[in-house]
Amino acid sequence: MTEEKKEAGVALISLKCVLFLFFGGLGCILAFLPLHMRDVGLTGDESRIVSIVTPCVAIIGPLIFGPLADRWGAGSGGTQYSQHMRGLLAFCLILGAVAYSALLAVPTVSRLQQRNPELSFRCNEHGAFVAQEKCQETPCHDWPRDNIGSIFLTHCRYDDCIGDRNKSDFFTVTTPYTVPDNDDDDDDNEGSGSTLTSETSTSSKKILGEIVADNPHLCFTKDERTICHVYTNSTKQLTLNVTLTTTPDTYLYDPEWCRYPLGGKVRCPILEKYESCNVVCDLSEPFSRADSILLPAKCQKTIGNDQLTFWSYLAIRSIADIFPTTTLALLDSCLITATRDSPGLLGPQLAVAAAGLAVFPIISLFFSNLTSLFFEVTLSAYASPILMFAILSLVAALIVIFDKSMPLSPVDYWLHSGSSYFNFKGGGGEITVILFILVLLGTFWSSLDSYLPWYLVLELEGNDLLLALTFAAGALPSLPFLWFAETIVFYCGHSNLFITAFTFYIIRYTGLLFFSNPWWILLCEGLEVFTLSIMWASAILYIRQVIPRHLTTVGQSLAVIAHFCLGRSIGAVLGGILSQNDSLIQVYRVCAVVAAFVASAYFIIYYCCMKPKCLKPPTRGYRNPHNAMQGSNANGTYTPLKVYNKGDKGSNNQASRY
């Protein structure tokens, strides 16, 4: 290592500290925020909405601060630009810490275990209806008029009776009743109770009254013929074919009950000794029987204001997510600027960032135990990772503010000299392609990582420590690869590394399909070396090549927007649509197939269409930077990107440098 490179490495120590702290805090919130949403009481659907909306809102930060940083760099001195950049970094770090800490103030909602709503059949001399408990999750149903089906009555009895108990226990029968023959039973209403029909005969009224005294009756009148079911002590169940209807008072009848009247002329005769009375019956298996007319319903008691919790959490998260994405774009730009004159130093900075991502999620799990042990403070679940992020961000902000030697010289000081000034002419297509690829990669990353904590902890019954170890499993193996990131990218080529990333997504998704033991998932997370770490190093180097040099921060902002905003939101949508009952198996199955298709298509398009075109002999008067680079690649497969200059296109020095 040359003396000049050693001096550059020493100057980058403070930047290493900022990267280590920021990415350490970022690992804490990436690991545990999905579980924190469920912990505060958000439902699965509400959590998915948050995961979809917040990345879209986060686009605002890079879009505003990226151009602002480049504008300040153009036309300002080295000291002034360094102050501006450090100010932007400190601003985003501090506000990110404050915004995420505000999530701890969101009121929680407790949702008790789901249960079936209470049901009862109620009938009197004026009519009959089914009463169903109103639930927030299951409103009253809008029954069609011809909704015919069965209900199954048990334990029928008199209830809500008012009157003089000294009167006779016999019914006042206006129409004489006799016990009918078997062939007189109503075909539409069959049951195991006794059945009575109205007849013209006046005999046996007294005997009948003695037999059926105090037994609940349910009578149907059709074509001037009355059929009555009698529920006796020996009756186990009455099966009735009925028509449930909806009336205007279905929703207004009672604030706690839905009312579904029975169609037709249905009534229950009342004992003479009572002024008013109701026949009340329980319903047997109202939701589980295939021939039941009642629709499945669930009630869940909610303690707290669920709407306040959802909207406040969504608003705070949307604001909070703006600042980490902006900080990431600014730090990538700082890395590009700080290592511009020292090839090989970019990789060690990224390796330090990955180390922070690996260790701090684990440390945050012990943070709450330490506070409880030494300070007698008990933190709520998943509060310690958020506080850890806030603390690390504030410490990083202090380093940025007070270390004025951080190598952040202005972009125009480096770039606006001679023919090295870039423009978009000829490079717009490459920029569009790389951003599209980053959106696809971000979609696969989000479909997996946005919901992986749910799958690992809630479905596979893993624990929080295992979840933190997944980040260590993904980050620690990447350290040697990132340390030599520039060499790997130079040797393998950007497109080959992107194809490799898509390929390893196939393996990761397929592994998750077959691993039922949560600890085996650590093997899949180890492949994140290629799907995220090396891929992102290749992406920021690619953007450095194709973006106009005076728009370095804008270029890195576009990369962050493509992968961590648009791709992350699309992946959350895809995962939310494909997940069934919070199970992610269908997500992994579909994404494995799609990743295989994308990897194959990218491979074919690149090697059959793009690469042969790029390797055509240069035209007269054109010095092809690709040929200048071919001699320095032992594998002979790497095709460097085009480097567009204001004047002649490329030179040996520029090509070898990038």
Side-chain angles (χ1 to χ4, degrees):
M1 181 182 292
T2 64
E3 191 68 25
E4 182 179 346
K5 193 171 183 179
K6 289 182 180 179
E7 293 178 359
V10 172
L12 289 171
I13 291 178
S14 59
L15 184 57
K16 283 187 176 73
C17 293
V18 173
L19 291 169
F20 181 73
L21 295 172
F22 170 72
F23 278 90
L26 196 62
C28 293
I29 59 175
L30 287 176
F32 297 107
L33 271 184
L35 293 175
H36 180 258
M37 289 190 287
R38 306 301 291 267
D39 186 64
V40 299
L42 299 185
T43 64
D45 291 338
E46 291 172 342
S47 300
R48 292 183 185 92
I49 292 174
V50 173
S51 300
I52 294 169
V53 172
T54 53
C56 295
V57 179
I59 295 174
I60 296 173
L63 281 181
I64 294 177
F65 290 101
L68 185 62
D70 284 334
R71 183 177 181 181
W72 280 345
S76 62
T79 303
Q80 186 178 4
Y81 175 79
S82 179
Q83 291 176 350
H84 290 160
M85 182 60 77
R86 289 190 295 111
L88 285 178
L89 277 174
F91 176 79
C92 293
L93 288 169
I94 293 173
L95 286 189
V98 173
Y100 275 104
S101 298
L103 289 176
L104 301 179
V106 174
T108 60
V109 174
S110 298
R111 303 176 188 272
L112 303 184
Q113 188 174 6
Q114 288 187 342
R115 58 175 177 80
N116 290 327
E118 295 184 10
L119 281 168
S120 65
F121 172 85
R122 305 183 71 84
C123 180
N124 54 34
E125 55 189 352
H126 303 295
F129 59 90
V130 173
Q132 178 176 316
E133 180 186 5
K134 287 184 180 179
C135 301
Q136 182 177 1
E137 298 79 7
T138 307
C140 296
H141 298 297
D142 188 11
W143 297 99
R145 291 290 178 179
D146 57 350
N147 193 14
I148 301 175
S150 301
I151 57 176
F152 312 94
L153 308 181
T154 61
H155 303 99
C156 294
R157 69 273 184 194
Y158 289 107
D159 195 10
D160 301 328
C161 297
I162 303 175
D164 183 5
R165 295 181 178 275
N166 294 325
K167 291 185 178 182
S168 169
D169 287 343
F170 298 107
F171 285 103
T172 300
V173 183
T174 57
T175 302
Y177 285 81
T178 61
V179 179
D181 296 332
N182 292 336
D183 58 354
D184 289 333
D185 292 346
D186 190 344
D187 294 336
D188 294 333
N189 295 283
E190 298 178 354
S192 58
S194 301
T195 304
L196 303 177
T197 61
S198 61
E199 302 289 346
T200 56
S201 174
T202 59
S203 63
S204 68
K205 172 181 175 181
K206 179 67 175 180
I207 298 176
L208 178 64
E210 292 175 347
I211 295 175
V212 300
D214 279 342
N215 290 335
H217 286 53
L218 176 62
C219 299
F220 294 81
T221 301
K222 184 178 181 180
D223 298 331
E224 298 183 357
R225 184 183 181 210
T226 301
I227 306 296
C228 289
H229 294 273
V230 182
Y231 195 94
T232 65
N233 293 332
S234 61
T235 304
K236 294 182 178 180
Q237 178 177 286
L238 281 174
T239 302
L240 305 178
N241 292 331
V242 297
T243 301
L244 291 184
T245 62
T246 302
T247 62
D249 63 349
T250 297
Y251 301 90
L252 303 177
Y253 169 69
D254 190 286
E256 298 181 358
W257 296 88
C258 302
R259 181 179 182 181
Y260 306 126
L262 270 65
K265 297 180 180 180
V266 184
R267 64 184 183 88
C268 293
I270 305 302
L271 293 174
E272 186 182 36
K273 64 180 179 179
Y274 297 123
E275 296 178 7
S276 64
C277 205
N278 289 322
V279 173
V280 179
C281 302
D282 298 332
L283 281 80
S284 174
E285 302 180 76
F287 303 117
S288 59
R289 300 181 67 139
D291 51 349
S292 175
I293 193 174
L294 297 171
L295 298 179
K298 291 291 183 181
C299 283
Q300 188 174 51
K301 186 176 181 181
T302 302
I303 301 175
N305 191 330
D306 56 341
Q307 292 298 310
L308 175 62
T309 298
F310 169 68
W311 288 108
S312 59
Y313 196 97
L314 178 62
I316 295 174
R317 266 290 303 275
S318 298
I319 296 173
D321 279 12
I322 292 174
F323 301 106
T325 52
T326 306
T327 304
L328 179 60
L330 294 176
L331 286 175
D332 285 344
S333 176
C334 291
L335 284 173
I336 296 298
T337 304
T339 60
R340 65 187 180 271
D341 294 324
S342 303
L345 287 184
L346 178 65
Q349 318 308 311
L350 297 176
V352 170
L357 194 69
V359 300
F360 279 106
I362 300 175
I363 295 175
S364 68
L365 292 179
F366 300 99
F367 185 69
S368 58
N369 295 332
L370 292 177
T371 55
S372 176
L373 181 63
F374 293 104
F375 302 101
E376 297 182 356
V377 176
T378 302
L379 297 175
S380 61
Y382 308 114
S384 57
I386 295 176
L387 291 177
M388 180 67 71
F389 169 81
I391 293 172
L392 295 176
S393 296
L394 292 176
V395 175
L398 291 176
I399 295 175
V400 171
I401 292 172
F402 291 105
D403 185 11
K404 299 181 180 180
S405 64
M406 190 176 295
L408 301 176
S409 57
V411 178
D412 66 331
Y413 174 80
W414 163 41
L415 302 172
H416 290 189
S417 56
S419 62
S420 64
Y421 180 80
F422 280 32
N423 56 56
F424 275 112
K425 185 178 180 180
E430 286 190 77
I431 296 173
T432 302
V433 170
I434 178 59
L435 293 180
F436 176 72
I437 292 171
L438 288 178
V439 170
L440 290 178
L441 289 167
T443 300
F444 286 120
W445 171 75
S446 178
S447 298
L448 198 154
D449 280 19
S450 292
Y451 302 116
L452 182 63
W454 297 358
Y455 181 69
L456 188 63
V457 176
L458 302 180
E459 188 166 344
L460 297 185
E461 299 181 355
N463 52 42
D464 296 338
L465 177 59
L466 178 59
L467 179 59
L469 289 175
T470 60
F471 277 74
L476 290 179
S478 68
L479 296 183
F481 291 90
L482 288 175
W483 195 273
F484 302 101
E486 290 180 270
T487 302
I488 293 174
V489 173
F490 176 80
Y491 182 81
C492 296
H494 305 89
S495 295
N496 290 332
L497 291 177
F498 291 145
I499 294 172
T500 301
F502 285 119
T503 303
F504 276 96
Y505 269 121
I506 304 172
I507 301 174
R508 290 186 68 187
Y509 282 118
T510 305
L512 290 171
L513 285 174
F514 294 100
F515 291 153
S516 58
N517 188 322
W519 289 95
W520 284 102
I521 292 181
L522 295 178
L523 295 178
C524 295
E525 291 305 294
L527 301 180
E528 202 168 56
V529 174
F530 305 100
T531 59
L532 184 61
S533 301
I534 294 298
M535 180 280 299
W536 188 247
S538 179
I540 62 177
L541 289 172
Y542 199 142
I543 291 294
R544 184 181 74 173
Q545 289 179 312
V546 299
I547 203 72
R549 293 186 179 184
H550 64 292
L551 298 177
T552 297
T553 311
V554 170
Q556 299 303 321
S557 297
L558 291 176
V560 170
I561 289 172
H563 188 276
F564 293 104
C565 294
L566 293 178
R568 181 179 163 200
S569 181
I570 296 172
V573 172
L574 182 64
I577 293 175
L578 295 177
S579 59
Q580 301 173 353
N581 299 322
D582 288 340
S583 177
L584 299 175
I585 294 298
Q586 184 67 13
V587 178
Y588 302 148
R589 184 179 294 113
V590 172
C591 287
V593 175
V594 175
F597 172 79
V598 172
S600 302
Y602 190 2
F603 181 88
I604 294 172
I605 292 173
Y606 177 70
Y607 278 97
C608 296
C609 302
M610 298 177 62
K611 186 177 179 180
K613 183 178 180 181
C614 293
L615 290 177
K616 285 182 179 180
T619 58
R620 184 175 182 180
Y622 174 78
R623 189 173 186 178
N624 194 344
H626 302 285
N627 295 334
M629 288 288 288
Q630 285 289 29
S632 62
N633 286 275
N635 63 352
T637 61
Y638 173 59
T639 303
L641 297 169
K642 297 177 181 178
V643 180
Y644 297 95
N645 292 329
K646 190 173 184 178
D648 293 335
K649 297 185 178 182
S651 68
N652 289 345
N653 292 336
Q654 288 172 338
S656 61
R657 183 175 176 179
Y658 296 104

